[in-house]
Amino acid sequence: MTDALRWTDAHGQAQLVADGELTPLELVDAAIERIERLDPQVNAVVSERFEQARAEASADLPDGPFRGVPLLLKDIAAHSTGDPLYAGTSFLRERDWRSDHDSAFVARLKRAGFVILGKTTTPELAGAITTEPLATGPTRNPWDTARSTGGSSGGAAAVVAAGMVPVAHGSDGGGSIRIPASECGLVGLKPTRARVSMAPDAGEGWMGLSAHGVLSRTVRDTAALLDVMSGAEPGDPYPAPPLARPLAAEVGADPGRLRIGVLDHPAMAGASADPDAAAAVNATAKLLAELGHHVEVSHPAAMGDTDLWAHYGAVVSSSMAAEADRWAEVLGTSVDTLLEPVTAGSVTGGRAITAAQLLATTRWINRYQRRMATWWAEDGFDVLLSPVLNGVPPEIGWLTHPEQRLERTVQLLQYTPQLNITGQPAISLPLHWTAGGLPVGVQLAGAYGREDVLVRLAAQLEQAQPWADRHPPL
């Protein structure tokens, strides 16, 4: 039974329960068996709650749309009452720190009937685009276990790509849903800023750069789970623009004839285009034209602004410094000497940024948002097509090289952080594989608040070029 379910998406598993063909407990037991069998090869599950999950599946679960479907949460900013949360750190892991409440979106997932099986790996404090924390060791890609799963939702991508669970929670502060989706052959949507509330712990993450979402194998799962997780909570500082109808209703809807701009190379000076990433974009552009869309070479000029690195870095490092200080307050002791060297360096850099400098960064971000928005609002484009990552999944260790780590990160990270700064929705789709069998995702970015456009287009591409029959050799 467990292998028959391995590639069944969340909708399919929920339907088996609704039809009485399987019980929630049978779904949960099958997922636990797959985790125990497959995770030793990829190292993606950092904490387990198997017995609690079995008890919940045997009891009266909420009668939601995904009753009994197993799910894993990312091990940062996803609080679940009584369950561990380590944030990729050794000091929280050694203390077996546990949450005393549910995050609002976690409560929503539970009300929808999902059964949480545990947490997935993330780099320390989610500070890297590869998941290789010293606390647990590297998470490995199911398509090639010598390679990275991406980050910071690398564990989430690995468990879905390997077929342990149909969907997993992730978060995205610079590409951290889209990059793992690209490297693991999955669907990964970063929603519009504030679409998913960060209550009760925060009003926004990383000064608005971060967003919660999921990794899945199908567009319908991604759309429906965002419907489940979305919604404002009391005290949120600002709302996302309302959608006309649930995103699940957009799956299969006619996207119309869209005007799509194509960017197949880094817009920033000094970075050359990866041939596989460019090939993925150009093949997708051809497919979009065949589907009747207007496709032309164009992109927002602001995509190439290299000042982005200084301001993005200021937000990330100051946010990580604040996070280190928060954990010090929670634990009653400094954590500075307990951090990995790279994280400690970011924290030190963040503390050196003055309030005036951070306000200057805020002003730059405000101007950058407006510069980017004009391409959609005034130039009349609906979608920007680009690579997700400027390269294929790198080998484990390539992005943690002590001297070349930063240079290599910048080389790869050419297309995603811009959309975190603007808060726009963007989705990674598994539409290309290299000659050697490695997945390479393409990114579709929409105007602010227009996940509906992206879901309609993504579903059309999924139908035109299905990927469901592609499975890793794990």
Side-chain angles (χ1 to χ4, degrees):
M1 177 179 65
T2 183
D3 279 337
L5 290 171
R6 185 177 176 188
W7 308 117
T8 304
D9 73 355
H11 275 82
Q13 293 195 22
Q15 192 62 51
L16 291 170
V17 171
D19 292 344
E21 295 185 32
L22 291 175
T23 67
L25 180 59
E26 287 173 319
L27 286 186
V28 166
D29 278 338
I32 290 171
E33 189 280 330
R34 293 193 301 273
I35 292 171
E36 291 176 337
R37 174 163 50 95
L38 298 168
D39 190 57
Q41 300 173 67
V42 296
N43 188 36
V45 179
V46 71
S47 64
E48 304 167 355
R49 58 185 311 277
F50 292 166
E51 292 313 307
Q52 299 99 310
R54 286 185 170 114
E56 290 162 5
S58 301
D60 292 328
L61 286 168
D63 190 21
F66 292 99
R67 182 171 173 267
V69 177
L71 173 140
L72 288 154
L73 299 172
K74 183 178 177 180
D75 185 36
I76 193 166
H79 292 279
S80 177
T81 304
D83 296 331
L85 187 142
Y86 305 144
T89 70
S90 58
F91 58 85
L92 291 176
R93 183 179 176 86
E94 289 166 2
R95 288 166 173 78
D96 192 29
W97 194 87
R98 291 173 182 262
S99 301
D100 62 2
H101 66 282
D102 284 349
S103 297
F105 70 85
V106 172
R108 289 170 180 259
L109 289 167
K110 290 179 178 180
R111 289 197 296 270
F114 283 103
V115 180
I116 296 168
L117 301 187
K119 299 284 182 71
T120 61
T121 50
T122 185
E124 190 172 62
L125 301 185
I129 61 168
T130 185
T131 302
E132 303 178 43
L134 296 181
T136 56
T139 297
R140 300 181 177 276
N141 196 316
W143 293 91
D144 179 347
T145 55
R147 295 182 181 270
S148 171
T149 56
S152 60
S153 305
V159 297
V160 177
M164 298 183 217
V165 289
V167 287
H169 156 255
S171 58
D172 191 316
S176 293
I177 289 174
R178 292 160 289 160
I179 291 169
S182 174
E183 294 193 17
C184 294
L186 300 173
V187 179
L189 171 60
K190 180 194 82 69
T192 296
R193 178 176 295 150
R195 182 71 69 202
V196 177
S197 175
M198 296 194 173
D201 300 286
E204 59 181 11
W206 284 13
M207 293 174 59
L209 271 62
S210 185
H212 289 284
V214 297
L215 292 107
S216 79
R217 289 192 292 272
T218 62
V219 174
R220 69 175 186 172
D221 274 2
T222 287
L225 264 80
L226 191 52
D227 287 336
V228 166
M229 296 170 69
S230 295
E233 297 287 337
D236 284 351
Y238 47 79
L243 294 164
R245 58 182 179 173
L247 288 174
E250 307 294 353
V251 178
D254 183 1
R257 187 172 190 261
L258 301 176
R259 190 178 180 202
I260 300 172
V262 179
L263 175 63
D264 69 353
H265 61 280
M268 298 183 195
S272 57
D274 175 81
D276 282 303
V281 167
N282 289 315
T284 303
K286 180 181 178 183
L287 176 58
L288 288 165
E290 291 170 353
L291 291 170
H293 298 290
H294 175 86
V295 179
E296 63 179 284
V297 175
S298 181
H299 65 271
M303 287 286 291
D305 191 340
T306 54
D307 287 346
L308 173 145
W309 296 122
H311 296 289
Y312 178 77
V315 171
V316 173
S317 59
S318 60
S319 297
M320 292 185 74
E323 186 73 353
D325 291 344
R326 184 179 74 85
W327 282 116
E329 182 179 357
V330 169
L331 300 176
T333 183
S334 172
V335 302
D336 288 12
T337 61
L338 307 177
L339 296 168
E340 296 179 16
V342 171
T343 310
S346 295
V347 167
T348 299
R351 291 192 180 128
I353 297 170
T354 67
Q357 289 171 327
L358 203 55
L359 286 172
T361 281
T362 301
R363 287 194 298 272
W364 184 90
I365 286 174
N366 294 156
R367 292 193 297 269
Y368 186 84
Q369 290 169 335
R370 297 184 191 283
R371 290 164 55 203
M372 284 281 285
T374 58
W375 188 80
W376 280 266
E378 297 178 11
D379 295 351
F381 285 90
D382 298 297
V383 172
L384 174 65
L385 167 66
S386 75
V388 175
L389 202 64
N390 189 37
V392 301
E395 293 185 351
I396 297 289
W398 192 79
L399 281 169
T400 57
H401 188 281
E403 284 83 36
Q404 299 181 45
R405 176 190 63 83
L406 185 57
E407 177 186 344
R408 290 174 175 180
T409 297
V410 170
Q411 176 184 327
L412 290 178
L413 198 64
Q414 291 287 317
Y415 305 100
T416 56
Q418 294 94 330
L419 286 311
N420 294 86
I421 288 175
T422 65
Q424 294 170 244
I427 190 169
S428 175
L429 297 178
L431 289 169
H432 186 79
W433 271 258
T434 69
L438 295 175
V440 178
V442 300
Q443 177 173 257
L444 303 172
Y448 195 80
R450 297 311 305 267
E451 289 97 327
D452 53 351
V453 173
L454 295 184
V455 168
R456 288 195 292 265
L457 183 58
Q460 184 186 45
L461 287 166
E462 182 180 35
Q463 183 177 27
Q465 189 173 302
W467 52 74
D469 60 344
R470 286 185 176 268
H471 302 146
L474 190 71

